[in-house]
Each structure stands twice: as C-alpha cells, then as structure tokens.
Amino acid sequence: MYVVSLTYKVPEEIVDFHLPAHVQWLQDAFDRGVFMVAGRKIPRTGGLLLSNADRADLDAALLADPFYVNGVADFDVEEFHASRVAPGFENLLDA
C-alpha cells in the first residue's frame, strides 16, 4: 500500500486555478481503482492519497495529475505494509 503526500509549491490562487482539472483527474483515478482515500492537509498545504494499486499504475496516474504536469505540487510516495487495522477496515489489509 502507498501513501502519497502532495505538497503545494505555488501560491494558493495557482492551486485553485488547477483544482478543477485535478479533481477530475482524481475522480478518474478513483473510478479506475487507483486510490482508496484522498483529502486535503490541514492547514491547506497539500493533500494525501492512499493507494493499493501496483506501483507502475500508481506512478503512471501521478504523472498525469494536472498538479504534477503544471508544477503545482511535489509528490512523495511512501510504501508500507498494512498488517493491522481497526474492525471494519479489513479491506485495507495487505494480502
């Protein structure tokens, strides 16, 4: 499983300009099963994504993100092994 941390590197008005395209890209990626969770950081300095896709599919998706294409955010991808979850979240366990 992967946690992707996006960190904005441009002013908020530039983020907001590219946000509609990013949201559409995000929905397309959710529809393809690339991501399981997405949300903004608080304070609004970027976002976090949770993915159980294989790394090649994840990397291909990230390269198409308008935030990446337009230099809006830096991306940090961390892999981890989900070995324990709270009841009701068993679908997040790695096989």
Side-chain angles (χ1 to χ4, degrees):
M1 187 171 307
Y2 300 93
V3 174
V4 181
S5 177
L6 287 73
T7 303
Y8 300 143
K9 57 184 190 175
V10 298
E12 193 170 310
E13 59 270 9
I14 295 173
V15 173
D16 289 341
F17 177 83
H18 292 284
L19 190 59
H22 170 75
V23 169
Q24 182 59 59
W25 164 84
L26 194 57
Q27 184 60 56
D28 293 344
F30 266 96
D31 291 346
R32 292 191 323 272
V34 176
F35 299 117
M36 302 181 306
V37 176
R40 287 183 179 169
K41 293 178 182 176
I42 300 171
R44 190 178 175 207
T45 59
L48 292 172
L49 305 167
L50 184 62
S51 177
N52 209 16
D54 70 54
R55 183 62 191 256
D57 289 341
L58 174 60
D59 287 344
L62 294 175
L63 289 174
D65 182 349
F67 279 3
Y68 176 81
V69 171
N70 294 291
V72 173
D74 286 325
F75 294 73
D76 181 49
V77 180
E78 294 286 334
E79 184 175 10
F80 75 100
H81 175 72
S83 58
R84 178 177 281 182
V85 295
F89 295 93
E90 291 81 9
N91 62 317
L92 297 177
L93 287 170
D94 287 336

